[in-house]
Amino acid sequence: MSNSENIQWRNIDLNLLVTFSYLYRYRSVSAAAEKSFISQSAMSHSLARLRQLLDDPLFVRKGHKMDPTEHAHHIAPTISQLLNTITNNLLIKSHFEPVNYSGVCRIGLTDYAEFIFAPAIYDRIREQAPNAQISFINVNRNNYVSLTEQEKLDLVIGSMPTLDDEFESHFLYTEKHVCLADPEALALQGELTKEVFAGIEHALVSPDGSLSTQVDRKLAEHGLSRRVTLASRNFLTVRNLLKQRRLIAIVPEKMAQAEGFDDNLTTFQPPVAVADFDIAMLWHISRSSEDKNSWLRELVEGVIASN
């Protein structure tokens, strides 16, 4: 068993270190009591406890002064260092400086948000905090609460229609939908009407694997139905399949217009109404006042505004 395990920590009051510090500085029970805003009898009681704890007289009266013993002189630097450490490292919260931060920024993103914003968020964090590491965690509306706790996420970004009571959120922007297809394979002879739209096979970007959406209900209102032949959670899979196939997909506009593709796909306005969706960033209420979290929220808002 280590020495620290043999010590009866419940009998140790850190205020006694403060008592020692005042007595060592002022060499007087009355002066130390006055400076620490306690009664002289309370100071005398604390000195008695110190003597018992450290098994040494510590301060011996000589005339009007309390002279430190040899042991008191020996331990004084250690006690001073301990008090400074507690003050500076524990009680005083250091101001967060991104340029000095070398920890990990943990950000949860839906598939959509990760595809669109991860590169820009990465660049902006690295620009302001060059020593930081970034961890992107895939989340969705069903698991973001549990994953925030498990993965210690700083922020979550995406479309979360239901906000958990333990979270705060900030609206970023509203996204709309467009149709995406290969114009050569589609071979439209005219306008993309509801009837033409319903007659084309469809691909879905489907987070839960569902093969139907609000679009099917809208078509049904006009006595129409469509045939969905593909559903994938991965937008890149859907986009790759649209090339050279007579398939059409309704996707978020920012996804459709993302750079870096040479597939010559074209966007069309949907012939039926498709509801827009809001993108927001969320964070657990326990992080609301954290300097790091405030910095990240401002950073993300700036990234979204510039995209």
Side-chain angles (χ1 to χ4, degrees):
M1 184 178 291
S2 66
N3 290 335
S4 63
E5 291 174 330
N6 289 322
I7 294 173
Q8 297 297 312
W9 289 102
R10 65 179 178 274
N11 298 326
I12 298 175
D13 182 353
L14 289 179
N15 285 312
L16 295 178
L17 301 184
V18 180
T19 295
F20 179 93
S21 178
Y22 277 112
L23 286 169
Y24 191 79
R25 179 176 180 181
Y26 295 105
R27 313 291 167 94
S28 163
V29 172
S30 58
E34 181 182 351
K35 294 296 182 181
S36 56
F37 302 101
I38 63 173
S39 67
Q40 189 168 334
S41 61
M43 180 61 69
S44 296
H45 178 68
S46 293
L47 175 57
R49 291 178 63 197
L50 261 173
R51 286 167 168 164
Q52 182 178 12
L53 178 67
L54 300 177
D55 193 24
D56 190 87
L58 297 174
F59 300 95
V60 179
R61 183 174 296 282
K62 288 189 179 178
H64 296 294
K65 288 192 173 184
M66 299 288 286
D67 278 359
T69 65
E70 183 178 347
H71 185 60
H73 282 303
H74 176 70
I75 64 175
T78 300
I79 291 177
S80 177
Q81 182 180 5
L82 283 171
L83 291 175
N84 285 334
T85 298
I86 292 171
T87 299
N88 296 324
N89 296 350
L90 185 62
L91 301 181
I92 297 179
K93 188 178 180 181
S94 60
H95 180 66
F96 177 80
E97 294 289 350
V99 70
N100 298 324
Y101 182 66
S102 58
V104 181
C105 298
R106 303 181 186 278
I107 302 175
L109 303 105
T110 58
D111 289 330
Y112 163 84
E114 187 168 6
F115 177 76
I116 301 298
F117 300 117
I121 291 173
Y122 171 84
D123 289 341
R124 192 69 60 88
I125 290 175
R126 293 282 295 160
E127 175 187 311
Q128 297 185 19
N131 298 314
Q133 294 177 293
I134 299 96
S135 178
F136 292 132
I137 309 295
N138 185 267
V139 301
N140 60 52
R141 62 187 60 183
N142 298 316
N143 65 15
Y144 78 89
V145 174
S146 59
L147 283 180
T148 294
E149 180 180 357
Q150 292 170 22
E151 303 290 344
K152 311 302 179 190
L153 300 181
D154 296 297
L155 287 178
V156 171
I157 304 170
S159 177
M160 306 299 180
T162 303
L163 181 67
D164 185 85
D165 291 340
E166 293 294 308
F167 282 73
E168 293 185 49
S169 71
H170 177 76
F171 168 80
L172 294 171
Y173 71 97
T174 298
E175 175 67 292
K176 63 180 182 178
H177 290 90
V178 295
C179 294
L180 187 65
D182 183 332
E184 291 188 11
L186 209 57
L188 287 181
Q189 299 301 315
E191 182 184 354
L192 182 63
T193 63
K194 297 181 184 67
E195 290 75 16
V196 172
F197 176 76
I200 302 168
E201 292 185 347
H202 285 248
L204 299 183
V205 179
S206 177
D208 58 3
S210 173
L211 292 169
S212 65
T213 71
Q214 56 179 306
V215 172
D216 295 280
R217 292 189 292 274
K218 291 292 181 182
L219 286 172
E221 292 174 5
H222 298 278
L224 298 170
S225 63
R226 63 174 178 169
R227 184 163 181 248
V228 176
T229 57
L230 166 73
S232 173
R233 178 174 296 180
N234 194 313
F235 168 73
L236 294 178
T237 299
V238 171
R239 180 156 194 151
N240 195 36
L241 280 162
L242 292 177
K243 186 177 180 180
Q244 299 179 347
R245 290 178 176 85
R246 198 168 191 273
L247 276 171
I248 194 166
I250 294 180
V251 299
E253 186 175 40
K254 286 187 182 293
M255 276 186 163
Q257 296 178 347
E259 298 178 352
F261 296 101
D262 59 357
D263 48 24
N264 298 316
L265 299 185
T266 299
T267 60
F268 305 84
Q269 283 301 114
V272 295
V274 184
D276 299 336
F277 61 97
D278 292 339
I279 298 296
M281 60 178 166
L282 293 68
W283 61 94
H284 194 270
I285 55 175
S286 63
R287 295 187 178 274
S288 292
S289 61
E290 290 181 1
D291 289 343
K292 174 193 172 187
N293 201 270
S294 296
W295 163 69
L296 272 176
R297 298 198 302 265
E298 184 177 348
L299 180 147
V300 167
E301 189 170 11
V303 167
I304 304 302
S306 63
N307 272 263

